[in-house]
Amino acid sequence: MRGFNPVAALQVLLENCRVFVEGATDGTGFFVAPGFVVSCAHVAGTEAGLPALVRWDGQDYEAVVVAASADTPDRSSALYAFPDLAVVKLLDPPDGHPCVWLDMARPLQGTELTAVGFTDTLQACAAAPRRVRLTAGGRTAQASGQLVELVEGEINPGLSGGPVLDHTSAGVCAVVKATRLEDTTMGGFAVPVDALRLIDPEVYRTVIKKHDRFHQADPRWRMLSDRVEQNPVGEVSEGAFDRHFLGLLSALPDSHDAHRSHPAAFLAVAAPGTPLPERPMLTHRDVYTELTALLPPPDGELPYELAFCADLARELVRPPADTSDAVTGFRDQVLIAAGRLGLGDAIRARLTGDGAPARRPSVIGRVRHSLRDRSLYHVMVWRFRSPHDIVPGASESSALPLREALILLSDLLTQQIVLMGDTPQRRGLIELILPREVLDEDFADWRLWPEVEYWSLGRKYDLVVRPLERHEAPHLHAAWEERWRHLEGKRVGEALVCVCGRDRQRQAALDAMFNNDPALAALALAGSPRQRPVAEAYMVALTSGVPMMLWRRGSVPGPPVCGSPCGIPGRDACPDAGFLTQARGFLSDTPRDDVPDRICALRNDAEIEAEGDGHIGEHVVLLWDDPSRRIPRTPLVPAAPVEEGQPVE
């Protein structure tokens, strides 16, 4: 069509989705799903159950607020509390009304926008329709969230609750909230639509599923969005690809919406070290859209969102398999999409789980420094069943003194071990991620069950420690993963070398040795990593990615450490190193993944034989750091300050 402008056509369709809302005040709203309207809470009402009136196409419709964010009692701010959103349900909605497409990505600065709503500026008409052209500015912090700044346009009273269209993504990205200064072109503020995830979760799940199903069946918005993206003929745009898969996700059976942990599903496919998103992930759609917002993976690897769809399809067809048309069709579309990208083999392997090793269950506890005071510590625990299924046992603790933090850790471990579900045939693993100053704590001898005083943690379970410093430094992860791979298929006794930090093992020399030999991956330390010079050698090994180390808890490498000069690990023999010799002997036939089991057996052997300090199982500590068993990153970030503005009433 000559002269056809798809953005202009979308603006017209956007206006057709706009409604006038009479609730707590008068303002604007817009259809997001059949019979459902989104507006601001300060327009529609801040409590579920409140009545409202919705006017569309010249007709009034009775409605009720089904979900809304509450305002805070603190009125020092002129703005309603974030997110200031409400969902309104029409009791008898009209047939055939259009709905906007929600774009959960926030607009980039400088993006052209359109907002529509109503205004009472024209006194002849108390609710005159209005369209305003705007530009995305920066971000303004409000308690609990950030607002999108709308610049280069006038936000009039009455536009609150109106939709904001992103001209680039062709979706509604925000909801008008407030003007910056009335009767000027200074613009205003808007709430990003992903903040809908902060109100009632069940209402959100219902509305977003109906939204995606509507657009899968109704082509009006989809066809215009495809034209906006202007891809070459025959190519499917990224937006069209995403809309297609979001529609497929919405068609999956409701019973599967909570089938897995959404945060775990996100972490299973995102790049290692990726933090969890700011907003809670309540649906498969949320996981998908958050994955599309990440930087793309390296060339030749599956897009994160497609890998997620493959994982989901694999879960759905496991016994008892779901063979509904929606599930089989979803799996077929995943295969087709990967085939078009030339990644058919990779997606088939992911769908079948080929090559994915079985994971043993574990409880992972972490103790880390407070950002504000490094003499205080935060504690958190997770249950790990697979990279797809990592469940937090509780929220991270407040900052505590070290002794209190360790007492809390012991209490949390006791609770989570009960829930872990280990068996005598597949004993659970206890993994403690700790700062260096805590590594030598006598965790193995912890009595977590006072009613059975002879049970100790280290003899009952496979107990390992892991270095906090490496887990919090993503730039160290590549070397860590490489050295872990070098241990695969090897007998650990053959790979063990002695490190004491003396003579030619000073830090710079050790670093050079590790740089030259990526196969140096298992160390027998000559003393505790809290004691010099082993402490310095330990830090070099940690930053070089060494994933496995053993030492005697509390041992001091006083002179002489052994009767031989300290040479280059892996190259010079150290025949008089007693701990190394014992460790090599006891681990001579032990593969990498079985070392925790073997160390647990050695602790029990030491108790049975009652040899005291002469047995390697007495006071032995195992650092065993599998990079595939990572936990979500949970940054401690102070709340942003609130900036005030003027509400649109």
Side-chain angles (χ1 to χ4, degrees):
M1 183 184 300
R2 182 176 298 177
F4 176 73
N5 184 332
V7 173
L10 264 182
Q11 290 171 326
V12 172
L13 183 55
L14 181 73
E15 291 177 326
N16 290 337
C17 298
R18 170 185 55 193
V19 302
F20 184 77
V21 177
E22 293 181 16
T25 61
D26 292 349
T28 306
F30 53 98
F31 284 115
V32 294
F36 287 92
V37 164
V38 164
S39 183
C40 281
H42 79 262
V43 172
T46 57
E47 294 181 14
L50 291 175
L53 189 70
V54 170
R55 184 175 303 131
W56 179 73
D57 197 24
Q59 298 292 319
D60 288 344
Y61 297 89
E62 293 184 0
V64 62
V65 176
V66 292
S69 59
D71 191 22
T72 60
D74 179 10
R75 300 305 297 163
S76 61
S77 170
L79 291 181
Y80 269 64
F82 190 90
D84 189 15
L85 293 176
V87 176
V88 177
K89 182 179 181 181
L90 279 64
L91 302 183
D92 186 17
D95 294 329
H97 68 75
C99 299
V100 306
W101 173 262
L102 295 176
D103 175 20
M104 297 298 177
R106 301 176 197 184
L108 298 176
Q109 189 166 354
T111 301
E112 293 185 344
L113 308 170
T114 294
V116 300
F118 297 94
T119 180
D120 56 7
T121 301
L122 301 175
Q123 297 302 316
C125 180
R130 183 158 193 270
R131 178 198 297 183
V132 55
R133 188 76 169 259
L134 300 155
T135 302
R139 302 283 186 269
T140 293
Q142 194 182 13
S144 303
Q146 288 189 328
L147 302 175
V148 177
E149 295 176 0
L150 308 176
V151 299
E152 299 179 8
E154 182 179 356
I155 300 296
N156 304 106
L159 264 70
S160 278
V164 179
L165 175 70
D166 183 324
H167 291 197
T168 301
S169 70
V172 168
C173 63
V175 182
V176 176
K177 175 181 174 68
T179 184
R180 185 172 296 165
L181 187 62
E182 290 187 22
D183 301 324
T184 73
T185 57
M186 289 182 64
F189 303 101
V191 182
V193 294
D194 69 346
L196 285 167
R197 283 148 56 180
L198 299 178
I199 60 175
D200 188 299
E202 289 306 316
V203 171
Y204 171 78
R205 292 186 184 101
T206 297
V207 170
I208 208 66
K209 184 175 284 289
K210 290 180 179 294
H211 165 278
D212 288 345
R213 287 179 175 175
F214 171 85
H215 287 288
Q216 187 180 37
D218 189 301
R220 284 175 285 182
W221 197 288
R222 184 175 69 242
M223 292 175 64
L224 292 174
S225 297
D226 292 347
R227 294 289 297 273
V228 169
E229 292 175 320
Q230 295 181 334
N231 266 43
V233 176
E235 284 192 21
V236 178
S237 69
E238 290 184 2
F241 180 93
D242 292 339
R243 286 187 288 274
H244 175 62
F245 268 93
L246 292 175
L248 293 173
L249 288 170
S250 72
L252 295 178
D254 290 337
S255 59
H256 292 293
D257 270 0
H259 184 64
R260 295 187 302 161
S261 163
H262 297 302
F266 174 89
L267 294 170
V269 298
T274 302
L276 286 172
E278 174 187 356
R279 304 279 189 245
M281 290 178 288
L282 305 174
T283 68
H284 297 320
R285 180 193 219 269
D286 299 337
V287 179
Y288 185 101
T289 55
E290 290 290 353
L291 289 168
T292 62
L294 302 177
L295 291 173
D299 290 343
E301 293 188 11
L302 288 172
Y304 298 130
E305 62 273 18
L306 195 57
F308 162 66
C309 289
D311 288 353
L312 182 57
R314 184 181 69 245
E315 292 291 332
L316 292 175
V317 298
R318 283 182 176 173
D322 189 321
T323 57
S324 65
D325 291 343
V327 172
T328 56
F330 177 68
R331 186 178 187 279
D332 290 345
Q333 289 299 311
V334 171
L335 285 165
I336 292 169
R340 288 174 176 166
L341 297 173
L343 299 171
D345 290 343
I347 207 70
R348 280 189 289 273
R350 190 134 196 149
L351 282 166
T352 60
D354 289 348
R359 303 290 178 185
R360 65 189 302 183
S362 75
V363 173
I364 301 178
R366 182 184 65 191
V367 177
R368 70 170 175 178
H369 306 99
S370 168
L371 292 181
R372 299 180 183 274
D373 183 349
R374 289 184 65 84
S375 68
L376 301 177
Y377 298 82
H378 298 270
V379 180
M380 192 167 180
V381 296
W382 293 261
R383 293 193 308 280
F384 179 102
R385 289 189 284 264
S386 78
H388 306 266
D389 193 354
I390 307 170
V391 181
S395 299
E396 190 165 57
S397 76
S398 58
L400 300 169
L402 180 57
R403 284 297 111 192
E404 292 182 24
L406 294 180
I407 291 171
L408 176 60
L409 175 63
S410 68
D411 291 341
L412 294 175
L413 288 177
T414 305
Q415 299 167 14
Q416 297 305 311
I417 287 171
V418 173
L419 299 172
M420 178 170 54
D422 67 312
T423 67
Q425 292 76 28
R426 189 60 169 168
R427 188 167 53 224
L429 181 66
I430 310 300
E431 306 176 77
L432 303 180
I433 299 175
L434 307 166
R436 184 177 62 169
E437 66 268 23
V438 188
L439 289 176
D440 245 11
E441 173 73 21
D442 192 4
F443 298 106
D445 202 41
W446 274 13
R447 267 46 173 191
L448 301 186
W449 303 271
E451 68 278 10
V452 192
E453 61 179 17
Y454 47 85
W455 279 17
S456 75
L457 183 62
R459 293 200 308 272
K460 208 69 181 175
Y461 292 93
D462 297 340
L463 171 68
V464 302
V465 297
R466 306 176 71 181
L468 173 73
E469 294 82 0
R470 180 155 61 207
H471 283 254
E472 295 192 332
H475 64 282
L476 302 179
H477 292 178
W480 172 25
E481 292 167 352
E482 181 181 11
R483 292 189 193 276
W484 183 258
R485 285 193 295 270
H486 273 283
L487 283 175
E488 188 171 3
K490 289 185 178 178
R491 303 299 176 184
V492 171
E494 302 169 0
L496 271 178
V497 298
C498 184
V499 168
C500 66
R502 295 180 180 275
D503 296 344
R504 284 189 292 167
Q505 293 187 18
R506 65 191 186 280
Q507 284 189 307
L510 269 178
D511 180 60
M513 297 171 200
F514 286 124
N515 291 339
N516 285 338
D517 190 354
L520 284 177
L523 306 180
L525 303 184
S528 165
R530 295 188 60 186
Q531 305 291 337
R532 300 181 63 185
V534 177
E536 287 81 358
Y538 166 83
M539 289 306 300
V540 177
L542 186 152
T543 56
S544 298
V546 174
M548 192 180 302
M549 304 183 218
L550 295 92
W551 66 88
R552 288 189 191 275
R553 186 179 62 256
S555 57
V556 179
V561 176
C562 65
S564 299
C566 299
I568 298 174
R571 187 182 304 173
D572 296 341
C574 191
D576 296 329
F579 182 69
L580 172 66
T581 302
Q582 286 189 69
R584 281 178 170 171
F586 280 105
L587 299 175
S588 60
D589 60 349
T590 306
R592 176 194 70 185
D593 295 343
D594 291 345
V595 174
D597 304 74
R598 182 63 176 138
I599 294 298
C600 183
L602 290 174
R603 292 190 184 109
N604 283 292
D605 288 344
E607 186 66 28
I608 294 169
E609 297 176 19
E611 293 185 8
D613 291 340
H615 195 288
I616 188 175
E618 187 72 21
H619 307 307
V620 68
V621 180
L622 170 64
L623 185 150
W624 186 86
D625 201 19
D626 181 348
S628 71
R629 305 176 69 87
R630 270 176 255 182
I631 55 175
R633 295 180 65 193
T634 51
L636 296 175
V637 181
V642 177
E643 293 189 19
E644 298 182 1
Q646 289 182 279
V648 177
E649 299 295 340

